[in-house]
Short mmCIF file of all heavy atoms in Angstrom, two decimals:
data_model
loop_
_atom_site.label_atom_id
_atom_site.label_comp_id
_atom_site.label_asym_id
_atom_site.label_seq_id
_atom_site.Cartn_x
_atom_site.Cartn_y
_atom_site.Cartn_z
N ILE A 150 7.42 53.21 30.09
CA ILE A 150 7.70 52.85 31.43
C ILE A 150 7.21 53.87 32.40
O ILE A 150 6.63 53.62 33.50
CB ILE A 150 9.18 52.52 31.68
CG1 ILE A 150 9.55 51.31 30.85
CG2 ILE A 150 9.50 52.29 33.14
CD1 ILE A 150 11.05 51.07 30.80
N ASP A 151 7.52 55.15 32.09
CA ASP A 151 7.21 56.30 32.91
C ASP A 151 6.39 57.31 32.12
O ASP A 151 6.95 58.31 31.75
CB ASP A 151 8.47 56.92 33.46
CG ASP A 151 8.23 57.92 34.52
OD1 ASP A 151 7.11 57.96 35.05
OD2 ASP A 151 9.18 58.71 34.89
N ALA A 155 1.75 59.80 34.56
CA ALA A 155 2.04 59.16 35.87
C ALA A 155 3.23 59.84 36.53
O ALA A 155 3.49 59.55 37.72
CB ALA A 155 2.36 57.69 35.67
N GLN A 156 3.81 60.83 35.91
CA GLN A 156 5.07 61.41 36.45
C GLN A 156 4.68 62.39 37.60
O GLN A 156 5.58 62.75 38.36
CB GLN A 156 5.75 62.18 35.36
CG GLN A 156 6.43 61.31 34.36
CD GLN A 156 7.03 62.07 33.18
OE1 GLN A 156 7.17 63.26 33.18
NE2 GLN A 156 7.35 61.37 32.05
N SER A 157 3.40 62.82 37.66
CA SER A 157 3.07 63.66 38.80
C SER A 157 2.92 62.96 40.15
O SER A 157 2.90 63.53 41.20
CB SER A 157 1.76 64.39 38.42
OG SER A 157 0.71 63.50 38.16
N ASN A 158 2.77 61.64 40.01
CA ASN A 158 2.61 60.85 41.15
C ASN A 158 3.96 60.68 41.89
O ASN A 158 4.96 60.38 41.24
CB ASN A 158 2.04 59.43 40.91
CG ASN A 158 0.62 59.59 40.29
OD1 ASN A 158 -0.06 60.57 40.45
ND2 ASN A 158 0.22 58.59 39.49
N SER A 159 4.01 60.83 43.20
CA SER A 159 5.28 60.67 43.94
C SER A 159 5.49 59.27 44.35
O SER A 159 5.10 58.83 45.46
CB SER A 159 5.27 61.60 45.15
OG SER A 159 4.16 61.32 45.96
N ARG A 160 6.04 58.49 43.50
CA ARG A 160 6.40 57.11 43.76
C ARG A 160 7.84 56.86 43.58
O ARG A 160 8.54 57.41 42.76
CB ARG A 160 5.56 56.13 42.84
CG ARG A 160 4.07 56.14 43.16
CD ARG A 160 3.28 55.30 42.12
NE ARG A 160 3.93 53.95 42.02
CZ ARG A 160 3.53 53.08 41.05
NH1 ARG A 160 2.58 53.37 40.27
NH2 ARG A 160 4.16 51.88 41.01
N GLU A 161 8.38 55.92 44.37
CA GLU A 161 9.80 55.75 44.32
C GLU A 161 10.25 55.03 43.04
O GLU A 161 11.45 55.05 42.71
CB GLU A 161 10.20 54.83 45.56
CG GLU A 161 9.98 55.65 46.91
CD GLU A 161 10.40 54.74 48.08
OE1 GLU A 161 10.84 53.64 47.86
OE2 GLU A 161 10.34 55.23 49.25
N ASP A 162 9.34 54.30 42.41
CA ASP A 162 9.80 53.57 41.20
C ASP A 162 9.76 54.40 39.94
O ASP A 162 9.97 53.85 38.88
CB ASP A 162 8.87 52.31 41.00
CG ASP A 162 7.40 52.63 40.91
OD1 ASP A 162 7.07 53.83 41.23
OD2 ASP A 162 6.63 51.86 40.56
N ARG A 163 9.59 55.68 40.03
CA ARG A 163 9.65 56.53 38.89
C ARG A 163 11.03 56.73 38.45
O ARG A 163 12.01 56.78 39.24
CB ARG A 163 8.93 57.91 39.14
CG ARG A 163 7.48 57.80 39.46
CD ARG A 163 6.67 57.39 38.27
NE ARG A 163 5.36 57.12 38.66
CZ ARG A 163 4.57 56.22 38.04
NH1 ARG A 163 5.04 55.46 37.10
NH2 ARG A 163 3.34 56.05 38.39
N LEU A 164 11.21 56.87 37.12
CA LEU A 164 12.57 57.12 36.57
C LEU A 164 13.00 58.52 36.92
O LEU A 164 12.26 59.46 37.01
CB LEU A 164 12.53 56.93 35.03
CG LEU A 164 12.16 55.48 34.51
CD1 LEU A 164 12.07 55.49 33.04
CD2 LEU A 164 13.20 54.47 35.05
N PRO A 165 14.32 58.71 37.07
CA PRO A 165 14.85 60.05 37.31
C PRO A 165 14.61 61.01 36.14
O PRO A 165 14.45 60.50 35.01
CB PRO A 165 16.38 59.86 37.53
CG PRO A 165 16.69 58.52 36.89
CD PRO A 165 15.40 57.68 37.05
N SER A 166 14.56 62.23 36.41
CA SER A 166 14.14 63.23 35.40
C SER A 166 15.20 63.31 34.25
O SER A 166 14.84 63.63 33.10
CB SER A 166 14.03 64.64 36.00
OG SER A 166 15.27 65.00 36.67
N TRP A 167 16.46 63.05 34.55
CA TRP A 167 17.54 63.16 33.51
C TRP A 167 17.36 62.04 32.48
O TRP A 167 17.93 62.18 31.34
CB TRP A 167 18.93 63.09 34.17
CG TRP A 167 19.21 61.80 34.90
CD1 TRP A 167 19.03 61.60 36.23
CD2 TRP A 167 19.71 60.57 34.33
NE1 TRP A 167 19.42 60.39 36.56
CE2 TRP A 167 19.82 59.67 35.44
CE3 TRP A 167 20.09 60.15 33.08
CZ2 TRP A 167 20.30 58.39 35.27
CZ3 TRP A 167 20.57 58.86 32.93
CH2 TRP A 167 20.64 58.00 33.95
N VAL A 168 16.65 61.04 32.71
CA VAL A 168 16.44 59.98 31.74
C VAL A 168 15.54 60.44 30.60
O VAL A 168 15.71 60.02 29.52
CB VAL A 168 15.79 58.74 32.43
CG1 VAL A 168 15.45 57.65 31.37
CG2 VAL A 168 16.79 58.15 33.50
N HIS A 169 14.66 61.37 30.91
CA HIS A 169 13.72 61.87 29.95
C HIS A 169 14.44 62.92 29.02
O HIS A 169 14.60 64.08 29.41
CB HIS A 169 12.51 62.45 30.58
CG HIS A 169 11.61 61.45 31.32
ND1 HIS A 169 10.60 60.73 30.79
CD2 HIS A 169 11.77 61.04 32.69
CE1 HIS A 169 10.12 59.93 31.70
NE2 HIS A 169 10.81 60.08 32.79
#
Side-chain angles (χ1 to χ4, degrees):
I150 296 172
D151 189 15
Q156 292 173 13
S157 59
N158 299 336
S159 57
R160 289 175 52 186
E161 295 180 357
D162 57 348
R163 295 295 173 211
L164 297 176
S166 58
W167 59 267
V168 175
H169 296 270

